[in-house]
Amino acid sequence: MLKTVIHVFHDDDDSIATGTRVAQRIHEVAPDQGSSVEVFCFGPAQRRLTDGDASVASATYNRQIDELIADGVLVGACVNAARAEGVEAELARRGLNLRVARDEFLRFTLEHATVVTF
């Protein structure tokens, strides 16, 4: 099956809010096209999942991540970064798929996924 991976890396307000919204929009039509969408949060954007930032963009980002998970989209994050920050249990509780980033990026290549980075 074809796959689009939305890689949310940058933590500026536009990247986090727009990247996850693009994932939602792709998810709306992907099944009809024989495709799927996956999201992988890494680096600075991963920290915004648990930083408690009360900004509108951060709240939007976290809401959209939770909505994607609720809609059955695989949303991942780096397990090593989560452990280093002490948030592994919190992210797992929210339903994020915690994996080694190195292995996930290689998997995207082996699956011939299209990766779009925000």
Side-chain angles (χ1 to χ4, degrees):
M1 177 181 274
L2 300 171
K3 180 185 293 185
T4 300
V5 176
I6 302 299
H7 171 223
V8 186
F9 179 81
H10 301 285
D11 71 344
D12 61 277
D13 290 350
D14 292 328
S15 292
I16 60 172
T18 303
T20 49
R21 182 62 182 146
V22 166
Q24 288 178 313
R25 298 288 290 153
I26 293 171
H27 180 63
E28 291 172 359
V29 298
D32 295 336
Q33 302 297 318
S35 187
S36 65
V37 66
E38 185 173 328
V39 176
F40 191 74
C41 304
F42 187 55
Q46 182 171 334
R47 285 190 292 279
R48 294 278 295 257
L49 291 168
T50 56
D51 71 354
D53 182 359
S55 73
V56 171
S58 190
T60 297
Y61 172 57
N62 278 284
R63 177 182 48 78
Q64 289 176 168
I65 288 291
D66 292 338
E67 289 171 355
L68 285 160
I69 292 168
D71 286 343
V73 174
L74 182 63
V75 177
C78 178
V79 66
N80 292 328
R83 282 183 187 146
E85 297 287 327
V87 296
E88 182 179 6
E90 179 181 349
L91 293 179
R93 177 190 51 76
R94 283 179 65 186
L96 277 91
N97 184 38
L98 299 175
R99 300 285 184 253
V100 176
R102 170 205 62 209
D103 298 345
E104 291 299 273
F105 289 120
L106 181 57
R107 179 175 64 83
F108 301 151
T109 299
L110 296 173
E111 291 178 353
H112 303 280
T114 298
V115 179
V116 181
T117 301
F118 285 86

